[in-house]
Amino acid sequence: MIPVAFDYAVPDTLDDALARLAEAGDDGKVLAGGQSLIPVLKLRMAAPSVLVDLGRIDGLRGVREDGDAIVIGAMTTHDQVVHDPLVARYANLLVQAARAIADPQIRHRGTFGGALVHADPAADLPSPVLALDAEFVIAGRGGGRTVAAADFFQDMFTTAVGEDEILTEVRIPKREGWGTHHEKFTRTAQQWPIVGVSVAVRVQDGVIAEARVGLANMASVPLRATATEQALVGCPVAGDAASDAAIADAVAGVAEGTNPPDDANGDAVYRRHLAVVLARKAVAAAVLAVEAS
């Protein structure tokens, strides 16, 4: 299908972009990488009167350090995230998740912020960003505000970003020395996860001292498995049968409280079982990553 007619604005500054959005009202849409929006427009599932393209606003791109956090610009591509040394050093879980997105062509066009604002609960990025306690910086004509990851994802395809606002950057606390792993199950290559699990662990004195666990496609929003995180603390990481059993016990309830969908890829019972299996694998791999670092 062909999209309905629309006006196309390409502002050079963030202020100009916000002004164009304000003028458009509810009929305006932001275009970042376009890997989610363009198919929606072609299917006429959205029919905005104005598209505001952020491609010329250089200040929305790149990765930088800022105290105890790294800051990823919303227009930074997935490929740039994969290859950035700061992300690899301090938030390697994002490298692993971004590397799993679709194919190279989409990773070179799709943007970090665009994928997060799209807020598909089956996408690769929302769950690791949630698990890493990210903060989202959102700009509006009245000024900027910062939203915690726990408050950012509000429902399927719905975030805290208003119709007249733009996500400008994401702040990720530095976690140097942590082991991380992004595990997802798909039926075909380049498919979004039927279930995804993102894990980060800090090991001290032979046991897990801290853990972070994010779940994808287990509800209408990405989930943080806080009870499992607490259960993992104190688990030994010797790599023997006893430590394997301790980790398996700790993640056995990872799907409790979730509300996974029923669709052609699997029902809710199947997804809950998958979440436990993938969590066990992801934690074991994260622990190995600590030992290898």
Side-chain angles (χ1 to χ4, degrees):
M1 294 178 66
I2 300 173
V4 299
F6 54 82
D7 292 333
Y8 179 65
V10 193
D12 294 315
T13 68
L14 179 60
D15 286 342
D16 288 344
L18 290 169
R20 292 304 301 264
L21 273 182
E23 291 172 6
D26 294 342
D27 291 328
K29 284 285 186 184
V30 169
L31 176 65
Q35 301 309 292
S36 299
L37 180 58
I38 297 300
V40 168
L41 294 178
K42 291 175 69 176
L43 292 170
R44 298 200 177 189
M45 297 172 67
S49 63
V50 178
L51 279 189
V52 181
D53 189 339
L54 304 182
R56 289 184 185 172
I57 307 176
D58 291 335
L60 298 180
R61 292 188 180 87
V63 182
R64 71 179 193 276
E65 290 186 76
D66 185 11
D68 59 356
I70 60 170
V71 182
I72 304 176
M75 288 293 288
T76 306
T77 67
H78 304 313
D79 184 72
Q80 290 169 330
V81 170
V82 168
H83 293 99
D84 189 90
L86 288 176
V87 182
R89 179 177 179 181
Y90 295 117
N92 196 47
L93 184 59
L94 297 181
V95 173
Q96 297 162 346
R99 187 185 291 128
I101 294 172
D103 55 42
Q105 182 177 359
I106 288 177
R107 291 196 293 272
H108 278 81
R109 290 291 304 169
T111 63
F112 186 73
L116 294 172
V117 174
H118 185 58
D120 190 316
D124 286 285
L125 285 180
S127 56
V129 169
L130 178 65
L132 293 175
D133 296 312
E135 292 183 329
F136 295 77
V137 181
I138 300 169
R141 299 200 74 188
R145 59 193 179 98
T146 301
V147 177
D151 302 317
F152 183 78
F153 301 103
Q154 298 182 345
D155 204 345
M156 185 177 292
F157 305 121
T158 305
T159 70
V161 180
E163 293 290 339
D164 58 347
E165 294 180 317
I166 294 173
L167 175 67
T168 60
E169 60 190 30
V170 181
R171 299 176 60 86
I172 311 289
K174 292 179 178 177
R175 286 195 168 84
E176 192 170 17
W178 286 56
T180 63
H181 189 75
H182 178 71
E183 186 79 32
K184 70 175 184 178
F185 183 80
T186 63
R187 293 185 181 221
T188 61
Q190 303 170 3
Q191 184 184 19
W192 285 0
I194 297 172
V195 173
V197 180
S198 299
V199 170
V201 298
R202 182 174 66 85
V203 173
Q204 183 176 345
D205 299 328
V207 300
I208 295 175
E210 293 183 77
R212 301 287 186 273
V213 180
L215 302 176
N217 215 6
M218 292 296 289
S220 61
V221 293
L223 298 177
R224 180 89 173 263
T226 54
T228 297
E229 293 173 357
Q230 296 167 7
L232 284 167
V233 173
C235 284
V237 295
D240 55 16
S243 60
D244 292 346
I247 290 173
D249 287 343
V251 304
V254 72
E256 292 179 4
T258 63
N259 186 27
D262 288 305
D263 57 30
N265 289 312
D267 61 17
V269 174
Y270 175 63
R271 281 187 161 91
R272 290 190 181 98
H273 170 73
L274 264 182
V276 175
V277 173
L278 298 182
R280 186 169 66 247
K281 292 177 64 177
V283 172
V287 168
L288 287 176
V290 175
E291 297 173 350
S293 63

